[in-house]
């Protein structure tokens, strides 16, 4: 059983855990409903006094949120630690297995690549034999000469042999070829096809840059606009 004490209201907490059974303390439910009922009365803030009263309720709500979050972390921490130990034990045990898997997959892949290369050569030879047989047939039909007829027969035999070579060059069972790729220059890809690239702004360095410009009394909004960034100030309300 894990319990904590709320420093703000001195009430017992909230989440309790026994093995893998987790419950919410009934007192915590009552506290939450009481807080929500009080905060629901806050419908507008038009004076500094009303803002002060609202901040008091905000602090109570924030305190419960922080209290629950701390308790959640305390309960979860040993479970996470056990989970990491399980993962590491399995990883250590399987490391040699995975190495052998990779090695054997590499051998199979190398063989499949070589077979595919030979098959491509055989298919090219088959196409040439087919064209040669077609030309020989046309020549035999046009001239009727014995030499051309014999040449046609030889060309047909060569075509059949080439077809047999293609048919006998098969990729091993359980192996297939799938398209993959590597990127040489992602900026070139973005220029040619933006939909292939995802971009996201890095908020931390941007905010730091804005603060540095403000500290130097520079035109923050104007400088940011040059980069396509709309800079503005927003209110930050403290819950403490």
């Amino acid at each position: 059983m894990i319990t904590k004490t709320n420093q703000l209201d001195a009430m017992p907490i909230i989440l309790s855990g026994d093995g893998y059974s987790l419950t919410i303390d009934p007192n915590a439910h009552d506290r939450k409903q009481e807080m929500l009922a009080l905060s629901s009365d806050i419908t507008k803030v038009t004076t500094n006094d009303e803002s002060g009263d609202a901040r008091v309720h905000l602090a109570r709500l924030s305190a419960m949120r922080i209290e629950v979050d701390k308790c959640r972390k305390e309960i979860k921490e040993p479970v996470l630690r056990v989970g990491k130990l399980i993962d590491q034990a399995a990883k250590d045990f399987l490391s040699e297995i995975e190495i052998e898997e990779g090695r054997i997959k590499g051998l199979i892949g190398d063989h499949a690549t070589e077979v595919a290369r030979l098959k491509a050569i055989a298919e090219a030879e088959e196409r040439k034999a087919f064209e040669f047989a077609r030309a020989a047939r046309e020549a035999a039909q046009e001239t009727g000469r014995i030499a051309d007829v014999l040449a046609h027969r030889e060309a047909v035999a060569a075509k059949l042999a080439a077809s047999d070579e293609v048919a006998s060059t098969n990729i091993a069972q359980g192996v297939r070829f799938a398209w993959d790729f590597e990127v040489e220059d992602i900026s070139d890809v973005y220029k040619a096809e933006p939909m292939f690239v995802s971009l996201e702004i890095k908020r931390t360095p941007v905010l730091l840059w804005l603060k540095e410009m403000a500290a130097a009394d520079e035109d923050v909004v104007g400088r940011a606009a040059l980069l396509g960034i709309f800079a503005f100030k927003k209110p930050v309300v403290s819950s403490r």
Side-chain angles (χ1 to χ4, degrees):
M1 178 74 68
I2 296 177
T3 60
K4 283 182 68 67
T5 299
N6 185 353
Q7 295 179 354
L8 185 64
D9 294 325
M11 294 285 288
I13 194 164
I14 291 191
L15 295 175
S16 61
D18 182 11
Y20 293 101
S21 176
L22 294 175
T23 60
I24 301 294
D25 190 292
N27 290 329
H29 279 293
D30 294 340
R31 290 169 55 203
K32 185 180 79 169
Q33 294 305 319
E34 181 182 356
M35 288 183 184
L36 292 177
L38 291 173
S39 65
S40 66
D41 293 335
I42 303 173
T43 58
K44 62 179 180 178
V45 176
T46 58
T47 67
N48 285 344
D49 288 340
E50 290 178 347
S51 178
D53 290 339
R55 286 196 64 235
V56 170
H57 288 290
L58 177 62
R60 291 177 178 271
L61 294 169
S62 299
M64 173 165 273
R65 173 178 53 78
I66 294 171
E67 183 182 8
V68 174
D69 194 54
K70 288 181 178 178
C71 189
R72 174 188 65 80
K73 292 178 180 178
E74 285 189 15
I75 294 173
K76 193 170 69 171
E77 193 277 331
V79 178
L80 292 176
R81 187 168 62 250
V82 171
K84 290 178 180 179
L85 291 174
I86 293 172
D87 291 343
Q88 188 61 48
K91 182 179 179 180
D92 292 343
F93 178 79
L94 292 175
S95 61
E96 293 176 317
I97 295 291
E98 292 173 347
I99 290 173
E100 280 301 285
E101 280 185 312
R103 185 183 67 82
I104 294 175
K105 283 182 179 179
L107 294 175
I108 294 172
D110 290 344
H111 170 258
T113 300
E114 177 62 14
V115 171
R117 185 185 71 82
L118 295 176
K119 189 177 183 67
I121 293 174
E123 288 173 343
E125 292 297 323
E126 182 187 30
R127 287 192 295 271
K128 287 196 298 184
F130 178 84
E131 291 298 324
F132 186 75
R134 182 181 59 79
R137 183 185 71 248
E138 292 175 353
Q141 290 174 346
E142 182 177 343
T143 65
R145 293 186 304 179
I146 294 177
D148 290 334
V149 172
L150 292 175
H152 174 239
R153 290 179 180 177
E154 292 176 357
V156 170
K159 173 182 174 297
L160 293 175
S163 297
D164 290 340
E165 179 67 18
V166 171
S168 64
T169 309
N170 295 319
I171 304 299
Q173 185 177 0
V175 178
R176 65 183 179 87
F177 285 89
W179 284 107
D180 200 353
F181 68 92
E182 294 179 354
V183 176
E184 294 182 357
D185 190 333
I186 194 171
S187 61
D188 290 341
V189 178
Y190 178 71
K191 292 176 183 177
E193 197 60 68
M195 67 175 292
F196 290 161
V197 178
S198 63
L199 298 175
E200 63 179 32
I201 197 72
K202 295 181 179 179
R203 290 186 54 82
T204 299
V206 172
L207 290 173
L208 179 61
W209 176 60
L210 297 179
K211 291 177 182 178
E212 289 175 347
M213 286 194 295
D217 201 24
E218 296 185 32
D219 180 9
V220 177
V221 174
R223 288 280 304 277
L226 295 176
L227 274 65
I229 297 175
F230 172 53
F232 59 93
K233 284 189 173 182
K234 66 177 183 180
V236 179
V237 180
S238 173
S239 60
R240 296 184 178 182

